[in-house]
């Protein structure tokens, strides 16, 4: 089915399966419900982005006491035997839009999207309003691949990884819009999850533009010490910028559609070794072909011994120096990394 591009980014087609209503345009909503809090006396609204026909929409207070499936910045709770809600830090409507896009364009198993809305403005954010996003999906039976890794046979792992490799190829076959690097529907590029701030930027037009974005934001924050003079600091930052950009462009790369958060924690498997669902689509989009590998491998280097064998044979590895450089650019606190570590001498 051909992709229709509107204003440079892809829109869902009108001839899609009737079970999947069209995605409303960005910043539009299907419905609005007013809710008032007793403690803050502040008007808070549920702004509905998507609601599947026949699905009864749970409100934020309805999910507070539901059983937890995960709790960190991002929370996941079992609303009912067949429904899961995801909300909290790092969750936004971009993930819901991506799930609808993937469901229409591919055969990749993902949880069926049931509803998505924002709630707010949250108490205490009157001057700079913040909203919490809730994404409701069907509950997918099975096990998180990471949880059963140690007890699984090599044949089981190979079967799962074989299916995942096919799904990755299917993703990468989705054509990129002309002159476009970023998530679906012109959503913001979000980088630096592990810095003090999460930088967001509008989509860019090319691989070079993406690399310049990474390098420029990184160089602004590189710690140069307390004794260096202003002019010397300017020269040093320019040197780091030029060398970093040259390293990034030393190899050929292309723009492909990737999941960009694919690790064993985001794969649900059946007892027979089939992929039941791939979850956590909030980082997906058209990005450099190395991004899937970098984002998965960086977690493995910190705390998860399963990630390296998970990646072996599934994704093309990067040279170690390039992997470390891109990892630094994407997520390591730059004020803890001096220019001497990156570029000795």
């Amino acid at each position: 089915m051909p992709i229709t591009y509107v204003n440079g980014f892809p829109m869902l087609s009108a001839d899609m399966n009737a079970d999947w209503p069209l995605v409303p345009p960005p910043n539009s909503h299907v419905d609005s419900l007013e809710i008032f809090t007793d403690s803050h006396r502040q008007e808070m609204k549920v702004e509905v982005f998507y609601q599947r026909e026949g699905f009864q929409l749970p409100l934020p207070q309805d999910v507070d006491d539901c059983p937890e499936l995960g709790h960190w910045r991002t929370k996941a709770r079992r609303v009912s035997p067949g429904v899961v809600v995801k909300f909290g830090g790092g969750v936004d409507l971009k993930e819901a839009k991506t799930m609808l896009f993937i469901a229409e364009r591919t055969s990749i198993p993902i949880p069926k999207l049931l509803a998505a809305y924002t709630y707010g403005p949250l108490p205490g954010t009157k001057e700079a309003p913040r909203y919490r996003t809730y994404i409701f999906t069907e509950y997918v039976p099975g096990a998180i691949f990471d949880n059963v890794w140690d007890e699984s046979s090599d044949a089981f792992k190979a079967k799962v990884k074989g299916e995942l490799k096919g799904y990755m190829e299917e993703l990468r076959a989705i054509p990129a819009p002309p002159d476009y690097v970023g998530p679906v529907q012109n959503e913001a590029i979000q980088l630096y999850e592990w810095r003090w701030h999460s930088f967001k930027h509008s989509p860019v037009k090319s691989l070079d533009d993406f690399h310049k974005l990474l390098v420029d934001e990184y160089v602004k924050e590189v710690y140069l010490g307390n004794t260096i003079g202003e002019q010397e600091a300017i020269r040093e930052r320019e040197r780091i910028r030029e060398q970093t950009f040259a390293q990034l462009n030393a190899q050929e790369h292309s723009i492909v559609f990737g999941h960009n958060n694919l690790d064993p924690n985001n794969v649900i498997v059946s007892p027979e070794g089939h992929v039941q669902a791939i979850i956590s689509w909030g980082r997906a989009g058209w990005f450099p072909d190395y991004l899937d590998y970098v984002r998965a491998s960086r977690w493995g280097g910190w705390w998860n011994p399963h990630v390296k064998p998970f990646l072996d044979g599934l994704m093309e590895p990067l040279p170690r120096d390039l992997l470390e450089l891109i990892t630094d650019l994407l997520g390591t606190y730059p004020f803890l990394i001096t220019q001497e570590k990156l570029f000795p001498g």
Side-chain angles (χ1 to χ4, degrees):
M1 184 184 300
I3 296 178
T4 301
Y5 295 104
V6 178
N7 297 327
F9 58 91
M11 297 293 292
L12 298 180
S13 62
D15 59 343
M16 62 193 295
N17 189 296
D19 284 341
W20 292 97
L22 291 176
V23 176
N27 302 320
S28 71
H29 303 281
V30 177
D31 196 4
S32 176
L33 304 173
E34 293 187 2
I35 300 175
F36 298 86
T37 60
D38 292 334
S39 57
H40 298 277
R41 310 306 302 173
Q42 176 181 349
E43 181 179 332
M44 302 174 70
K45 292 184 179 180
V46 169
E47 297 281 344
V48 181
F49 162 74
Y50 173 87
Q51 185 174 358
R52 187 178 176 83
E53 185 176 355
F55 178 67
Q56 185 174 352
L57 193 68
L59 296 178
Q61 58 265 39
D62 298 330
V63 306
D64 286 344
D65 296 325
C66 294
E68 291 185 358
L69 297 175
H71 185 91
W72 193 49
R73 289 182 67 239
T74 299
K75 303 173 185 178
R77 294 185 179 176
R78 191 91 172 263
V79 178
S80 71
V83 178
V84 171
V85 61
K86 177 180 180 179
F87 63 100
V91 181
D92 61 36
L93 291 178
K94 175 169 52 180
E95 181 166 3
K97 296 175 183 180
T98 302
M99 292 175 70
L100 289 172
F101 183 81
I102 294 301
E104 182 201 4
R105 297 297 173 190
T106 75
S107 65
I108 297 171
I110 66 173
K112 186 178 295 183
L113 183 67
L114 301 175
Y117 61 67
T118 58
Y119 177 53
L122 299 177
T125 66
K126 184 176 181 180
E127 299 301 322
R130 290 191 300 110
Y131 298 80
R132 181 177 294 130
T133 299
Y134 291 75
I135 297 177
F136 297 85
T137 67
E138 66 174 359
Y139 173 76
V140 178
I144 297 295
F145 194 21
D146 190 64
N147 293 345
V148 297
W149 181 274
D150 289 333
E151 64 197 56
S152 298
S153 66
D154 290 343
F156 182 98
K157 296 171 186 174
K159 188 175 182 179
V160 171
K161 288 169 61 175
E163 291 187 6
L164 287 173
K165 192 166 186 176
Y167 293 138
M168 288 189 67
E169 291 171 356
E170 192 173 354
L171 273 183
R172 294 191 169 206
I174 300 174
D179 302 321
Y180 186 88
V181 180
V184 301
Q185 293 202 346
N186 215 30
E187 288 286 331
I189 297 172
Q190 184 169 355
L191 304 172
Y192 315 145
E193 300 140 66
W194 283 100
R195 296 187 183 179
W196 292 121
H197 66 282
S198 184
F199 176 78
K200 292 186 178 182
H201 194 280
S202 58
V204 294
K205 292 186 175 181
S206 68
L207 180 63
D208 271 3
D209 288 344
F210 183 79
H211 284 167
K212 288 175 183 175
L213 176 64
L214 284 183
V215 174
D216 286 348
E217 288 301 314
Y218 177 81
V219 169
K220 288 178 186 177
E221 301 181 11
V222 171
Y223 178 63
L224 298 176
N226 298 321
T227 59
I228 190 170
E230 182 178 351
Q231 292 303 311
E232 186 180 356
I234 292 173
R235 290 192 297 271
E236 189 63 20
R237 290 184 190 280
E238 185 58 31
R239 181 181 76 87
I240 294 172
R241 178 182 287 106
E242 291 176 0
Q243 289 186 310
T244 306
F245 195 71
Q247 278 188 266
L248 284 174
N249 291 315
Q251 288 189 333
E252 290 285 334
H253 294 287
S254 58
I255 299 300
V256 298
F257 197 99
H259 181 280
N260 301 323
N261 198 17
L262 188 62
D263 65 37
N265 279 291
N266 290 327
V267 179
I268 299 174
V269 297
S270 72
E272 297 76 30
H274 294 293
V275 176
Q276 295 287 82
I278 298 174
I279 60 176
S280 193
W281 289 89
R283 296 289 181 262
W286 289 276
F287 289 100
D289 52 18
Y290 55 69
L291 201 55
D292 255 320
Y293 184 84
V294 171
R295 278 206 157 120
S297 62
R298 59 195 279 233
W299 303 124
W302 283 357
W303 59 273
N304 191 339
H306 302 156
V307 170
K308 187 179 185 304
F310 171 80
L311 291 175
D312 288 345
L314 180 62
M315 302 183 197
E316 189 70 27
L318 291 176
R320 184 176 180 83
D321 59 342
L322 184 59
L323 173 62
E324 291 180 349
L325 174 63
I326 299 172
T327 299
D328 285 342
L329 293 176
L330 284 172
T332 305
Y333 294 109
F335 47 82
L336 297 180
I337 299 179
T338 64
Q339 73 276 23
E340 286 80 16
K341 176 183 174 183
L342 282 173
F343 309 109

